[in-house]
Amino acid sequence: MSLWVDLYRPKTLDDLHYHEGLSNRLRSLAASGDFPHMLFYGPSGAGKKTRIACTLRELFGKGVEKLKIDQRVFMTPSRRKLDVNIVQSNFHIEITPSEVGIYDRVVIQEILKEIAQTQQVDISAKQRFKVVIINEADSLSRDAQAALRRTMEKYMSNMRIILCANSTSKLIAPIKSRCLLVRVAAPSEDEIVKVLQYVASKQPFRSIDQNVAREIAEDSNGNLRKAVLVFEALKMQTPDLSGPLTIAKPDWETYCQKVADMIIQEQSPQRVMEVRSKLYELLVHCIPPNVILKTIADHVVDKVDESLKADIIHWAAIYEVRLRNGNKKIFHLEAWVVKVMTLYKHFFFGIDMDGFD
Amino acid sequence: MSFFQVQAPKKAVKHAYDPALQPWVEKYRPKTIEDVSSQEHTVAVLRRTLTSTNLPHMLFYGPPGTGKTSTILALARQLFGPDNFRSRVLELNASDERGISIVRDKVKNFARQTPRTQAVSSDGQTYPCPPYKIIILDEADSMTQDAQAALRRIMETYARITRFCLVCNYVTRIIDPLASRCSKFRFKPLDPSSTSSRLHHIASAENVHVSEEVISTLIKTSHGDLRRSITYLQSASHLGGSTKPPTPITPSDIQEIAGVVPDSVIKDFAATLGVDAVGDDMEIDSPSKKVTGFDSIRRKVKEIVREGYSGTQVLMQLHDFVIEHPTLSAHKKAQSALVFAEADKALCDGADEELWILEVGLRVHKAVS
Ligand SMILES: Nc1ncnc2c1ncn2[C@@H]1O[C@H](COP(=O)(O)OP(=O)(O)O)[C@@H](O)[C@H]1O
Ligand SMILES: [Mg+2]
């Protein structure tokens, strides 16, 4: 059985719940005939992918929903073989470049050339172009982005590109200037509540208590996917959704919270060692190191004096960049922990920290 | 069964394409070098090459959307006409494989062929069709150093029958031995008046009404990149045209399309940091003077991130707001400027946007209080 998030995912632009102005705009673009290249951006869980799927549906009709997965082999310039799974319909093709790592340029080049050099076979197709969707476009390498530039102009007659990204900051200017930028903001709490009510109305129990819905919405931090998942999970735990509800945090988050507590409770070499083993634990569970850092920092600042908060964030920001570019993630996480402990201790012993950095 | 019918590459790309449905950047791409606006010097020099039989190797450089690709394509078309274009011009860009092996094979092969004799032009016009071929290496700054080095010899050996045109954004990424063999042409960002007249021209050809305000917003948001302003204009015209009766395009439509953060958001954020806008009915010791602290700044940052605004854009606009602030002291501005510079570097290194917007917020807050 499908999850509610998938079951009640809107399929057409008319089904979309919020950002109505944006939906209208997409509808008119799809109808206009000169559909541009597009870049959808916004936080995760805001509904970018759903919106893209609805736009495709508007462009091509029901046929785009017939997907098939192809196993393809690409050859790198150094003659290495790459196996890539590609999702496509008769009208579009979808790629997630991060799956092929540093070889994203090769894959993109091949696919785009192939599409550019083929014509729509289906004569009844509503559009003469095919759409290439590039997911997680912010992780495209510089090389791959450069490869897109002129291609986007040259093959405009039978191809359109839709990029999907969390932020536009990592995309080079020449790409942005070739796309129509579409910002998809996270839904507001009211909007999330409405979606939850809609989901409830489709279920046998028909409705969800206003307060419960609001609580879930608040907890989701604008991530609609998370909100619907939590709703379904809660419903499984407490079928009548009454009494005090606790929205379970994911294990790793509780774990991060514990680490934050440990840092505040004691500042000693011994404690650093204990924290380190916890950090290792999180890392082996594949929690991204920058998420670990951010989450711990977020909890630490809640527990310290106002005058320390800014410094803690400052060092979190510094070490976050370092761990991204560095190789040994644990070094940087640990360095930050030690930094925070030092700040904290000095604060309590009233030692002047000026000139210490 | 393959869902794509792969055809021979050469045939496929060319097929009838309803001009009404073409993106305006393509539709209004300069057809001749005379159509290229704002690059008077370059055009003047190139005009002379149309009447002489000589052409140096060339290096076009400048920011995106200033007409580099258009100029060389227009020049090549004017030199050879549509019929000889294929046999005389090789265009390779960053989307083509251009590693060292391709340079050695494809580029070299094309470079060494003796130019074919002029085919009779089918459109009844005569073209100069000088006795050489042109190899256009567009987006050449993304070629590896090795591949560039391999070009060097080819450029020299076949100079008599082949001219190169390298096109790039950053001239410093072209190795010196190549750059020194070329005549260099710098393409400037388009000045406001050329941008304005080009946009007016397109708007009237497309029957779109645009106000002066809209044009000036287009100019402001596109920073001399004409491709960008044309794309924005076309997108905006869709929005207006989709309603009945058509609604006129507004400057804020353009801002949204361009990804610009609304001024009110920036003002609000700045106020949270303790930098108030001067000018709006300010009351001396007004009770609304907010006491701001960590939590309210963090909340504001989360709000901004949830709206999906790009981190670099937020910081750029906040930077302008703070640095151009009429009453803030120079000392405070200087301290803030340091933070913005650090943040820009961090974001280029791939840093977390939320964390750095918060970091900038906190430090600007500290600097001004
Ligand atoms: N100087 C210019 N004069 C007229 N149109 C221009 C000029 N520069 C750019 N454009 C417009 O912008 C589009 C992109 O220009 P292009 O030559 O591809 O820029 P680039 O310098 O990035 O190669 C063209 O299709 C054209 O419509
Ligand atoms: Mg170009």
Side-chain angles (χ1 to χ4, degrees), chain A residues 59-324:
Chain A
L59 278 170
F60 296 104
K62 243 176 143 34
V64 276
E65 285 163 17
K66 252 187 258 154
L67 295 177
K68 57 176 199 132
I69 298 179
D70 254 2
Q71 263 278 349
R72 292 280 303 273
V73 180
F74 295 93
M75 193 72 94
T76 71
S78 51
R79 310 234 149 258
R80 259 190 59 175
K81 277 189 181 153
L82 295 174
D83 288 309
V84 184
N85 284 324
I86 288 182
V87 179
Q88 62 180 51
S89 75
N90 277 359
F91 309 103
H92 82 291
I93 188 164
E94 201 170 324
I95 36 184
T96 306
S98 56
E99 283 167 12
V100 286
I102 56 165
Y103 297 112
D104 56 352
R105 184 188 56 108
V106 181
V107 174
I108 293 218
Q109 255 171 13
E110 290 287 317
I111 290 182
L112 294 193
K113 287 259 148 93
E114 180 183 306
I115 299 239
Q117 287 161 6
T118 58
Q119 287 182 0
Q120 188 61 265
V121 205
D122 189 347
I123 310 172
S124 62
K126 285 168 79 183
Q127 313 290 343
R128 61 188 322 151
F129 56 82
K130 280 184 182 162
V131 172
V132 180
I133 298 178
I134 303 180
N135 290 317
E136 296 170 30
D138 25 13
S139 66
L140 279 174
S141 67
R142 283 280 163 135
D143 259 8
Q145 294 191 37
L148 277 178
R149 297 170 56 168
R150 183 84 181 108
T151 322
M152 289 173 83
E153 296 179 344
K154 225 172 153 177
Y155 303 127
M156 193 82 191
S157 54
N158 39 7
M159 174 184 72
R160 294 293 186 282
I161 292 178
I162 297 183
L163 301 158
C164 181
N166 281 329
S167 162
T168 60
S169 301
K170 281 172 202 150
L171 291 168
I172 58 175
I175 299 244
K176 282 187 268 189
S177 83
R178 285 165 171 86
C179 292
L180 170 57
L181 269 56
V182 177
R183 181 171 59 87
V184 184
S188 68
E189 266 159 32
D190 287 342
E191 286 162 342
I192 293 183
V193 167
K194 280 210 191 98
V195 175
L196 293 176
Q197 282 165 342
Y198 168 80
V199 170
S201 77
K202 294 284 171 186
Q203 287 290 318
F205 54 88
R206 307 305 291 216
S207 67
I208 175 173
D209 180 69
Q210 180 76 21
N211 293 328
V212 177
R214 188 143 299 276
E215 214 173 309
I216 297 174
E218 261 169 47
D219 174 76
S220 73
N221 205 2
N223 187 330
L224 184 57
R225 184 185 313 112
K226 185 172 165 196
V228 178
L229 285 170
V230 165
F231 178 27
E232 188 170 3
L234 276 181
K235 185 73 195 169
M236 306 271 260
Q237 282 164 18
T238 21
D240 57 351
L241 286 178
S242 64
L245 292 171
T246 35
I247 297 173
K249 292 231 180 316
D251 288 346
W252 65 267
E253 207 179 320
T254 322
Y255 212 81
C256 284
Q257 207 165 347
K258 267 194 212 135
V259 176
D261 291 337
M262 289 171 72
I263 296 172
I264 303 296
Q265 281 156 6
E266 184 186 325
Q267 298 80 37
S268 66
Q270 172 64 30
R271 187 40 70 92
V272 174
M273 294 306 284
E274 287 161 19
V275 168
R276 163 196 278 191
S277 69
K278 298 265 182 222
L279 293 174
Y280 264 127
E281 191 71 17
L282 284 161
L283 286 172
V284 296
H285 282 87
C286 291
I287 308 299
N290 58 314
V291 173
I292 300 177
L293 179 60
K294 253 180 97 172
T295 314
I296 299 179
D298 222 33
H299 286 297
V300 169
V301 287
D302 280 340
K303 299 196 172 72
V304 300
D305 188 84
E306 176 81 14
S307 62
L308 274 177
K309 295 179 190 221
D311 282 339
I312 288 171
I313 293 295
H314 170 69
W315 291 106
I318 300 279
Y319 282 107
E320 198 265 346
V321 195
R322 291 197 189 159
L323 69 80
R324 261 175 207 269

Side-chain angles (χ1 to χ4, degrees), chain A residues 149-150 153 178, chain B residues 29 65 68-70 138-139 167 227:
Chain A
R149 297 170 56 168
R150 183 84 181 108
E153 296 179 344
R178 285 165 171 86
Chain B
R29 193 184 273 286
K68 300 178 300 296
T69 305
S70 311
D138 205 347
E139 293 148 9
V167 180
R227 177 190 292 110

Side-chain angles (χ1 to χ4, degrees), chain A residues 7-52:
Chain A
L7 210 53
Y8 302 120
R9 175 192 284 255
K11 292 218 166 56
T12 66
L13 289 173
D14 294 321
D15 297 345
L16 287 168
H17 291 272
Y18 47 92
H19 300 335
E20 205 171 303
L22 178 54
S23 309
N24 290 337
R25 201 191 311 174
L26 292 171
R27 190 176 301 115
S28 78
L29 277 175
S32 70
D34 54 351
F35 192 79
H37 297 304
M38 304 240 260
L39 165 56
F40 285 73
Y41 68 103
S44 26
K48 298 181 292 295
K49 266 193 147 174
T50 306
R51 225 158 260 273
I52 291 174

